[in-house]
């Protein structure tokens, strides 16, 4: 649980006002699978445009975008987290695709927070029987006010792990074309912990349990 302790030290220092963060990052075991302003001065104000998220081929989960901008990356990963296709991918294949977006630094990666968003294999199979799939449209992304306030008070706090909190909003649309066709849609929002070290492509560290405004 060393990586969980390090996440606590890093994220708590930067997101002290996010409700439920302490309980989430210090829990002993992962929760059961559930269905489901200004950029800091330490970063460039106008980073180069990243490569767009390419449409997955053959039903594969989209590959991680190559960008050093935490907001741009968070919006891209949110689109992937809110999308799935049981018609083309098995649950293990979908999970493997998501893992490619995670940071390789195990001491900061909280995979359990991402895995909690994925239906278990049995439920996935039942969803597959109805050919269920979901797509997402991303609205906007921003640094939560609590993050900006904490970072302004201690700008050097981020220079160890380079983990940024980003809140993303959007809309998820779900459709199924099995024995009974149907559709549905809902607004979505999440606060993501994104690791963006200088001169390195960003990666996902965790999905926080509460959305920070």
């Amino acid at each position: 649980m060393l990586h969980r302790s390090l996440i606590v030290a890093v994220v708590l220092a930067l997101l002290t006002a996010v409700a439920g963060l302490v309980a989430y990052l210090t829990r002993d075991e992962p929760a059961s699978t559930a269905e489901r302003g200004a950029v800091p001065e330490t970063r460039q104000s106008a980073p180069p445009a990243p490569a767009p998220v390419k449409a997955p081929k053959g039903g594969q989960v989209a590959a991680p975008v190559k960008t050093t901008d935490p907001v741009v990356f968070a919006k891209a990963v949110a689109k992937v987290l809110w999308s799935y296709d049981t018609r083309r991918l098995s649950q293990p294949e979908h999970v493997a695709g998501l893992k490619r977006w995670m940071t390789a630094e195990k001491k900061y990666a909280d995979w359990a927070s991402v895995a909690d968003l994925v239906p278990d294999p049995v439920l996935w199979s039942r969803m597959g029987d109805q050919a269920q799939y979901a797509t997402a449209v991303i609205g906007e992304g921003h640094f939560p006010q609590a993050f900006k306030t904490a970072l302004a008070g201690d700008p050097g706090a981020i220079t160890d792990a380079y983990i940024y909190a980003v809140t993303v909003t959007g809309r998820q649309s779900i459709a199924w074309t099995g024995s009974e066709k149907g559709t549905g849609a809902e607004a979505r929002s999440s606060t993501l912990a994104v690791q963006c070290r200088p001169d390195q492509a960003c990666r996902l560290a965790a999905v926080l349990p509460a959305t920070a405004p």
Side-chain angles (χ1 to χ4, degrees):
M1 300 303 292
L2 177 60
H3 74 282
R4 185 63 53 82
S5 298
L6 289 171
I7 292 175
V8 173
V10 173
V11 182
L12 284 184
L14 301 174
L15 284 175
T16 55
V18 177
L21 187 61
V22 177
Y24 169 69
L25 293 177
T26 58
R27 71 189 191 278
D28 293 327
E29 297 180 0
S32 58
T33 300
E35 207 178 342
R36 308 273 180 229
V39 177
E41 294 181 357
T42 55
R43 305 202 61 80
Q44 295 180 346
S45 59
V53 179
K54 297 181 180 180
K57 298 180 180 180
Q60 297 178 356
V61 175
V65 296
K66 296 181 180 180
T67 178
T68 58
D69 185 283
V71 174
V72 172
F73 181 83
K75 292 171 68 174
V77 75
K79 184 178 179 68
V80 170
L81 291 174
W82 298 341
S83 304
Y84 59 83
D85 194 340
T86 64
R87 302 168 303 175
R88 297 184 174 92
L89 289 180
S90 66
Q91 196 261 11
E93 290 171 334
H94 180 77
V95 166
L98 295 182
K99 284 184 175 180
R100 293 190 297 167
W101 290 75
M102 297 294 297
T103 176
E105 297 184 40
K106 295 181 179 180
K107 60 183 179 180
Y108 296 124
D110 187 1
W111 167 247
S113 67
V114 179
D116 283 349
L117 304 178
V118 182
D120 63 51
V122 174
L123 179 56
W124 186 278
S125 178
R126 293 175 180 173
M127 292 162 60
D129 292 340
Q130 297 300 318
Q132 184 170 318
Y133 62 96
T135 57
V137 175
I138 302 303
E140 62 88 37
H142 65 272
F143 295 111
Q145 186 57 50
F147 176 85
K148 292 188 292 183
T149 299
L151 190 58
D154 186 5
I158 202 169
T159 58
D160 182 18
Y162 283 95
I163 292 179
Y164 298 80
V166 183
T167 294
V168 181
T169 61
R171 189 169 184 82
Q172 181 189 54
S173 297
I174 301 174
W176 54 96
T177 58
S179 57
E180 297 182 5
K181 296 183 179 181
T183 59
E186 65 175 349
R188 297 293 302 270
S189 63
S190 294
T191 299
L192 310 175
V194 176
Q195 185 179 50
C196 298
R197 291 193 179 280
D199 303 320
Q200 294 184 23
C202 296
R203 285 295 184 267
L204 179 64
V207 178
L208 303 187
T211 300

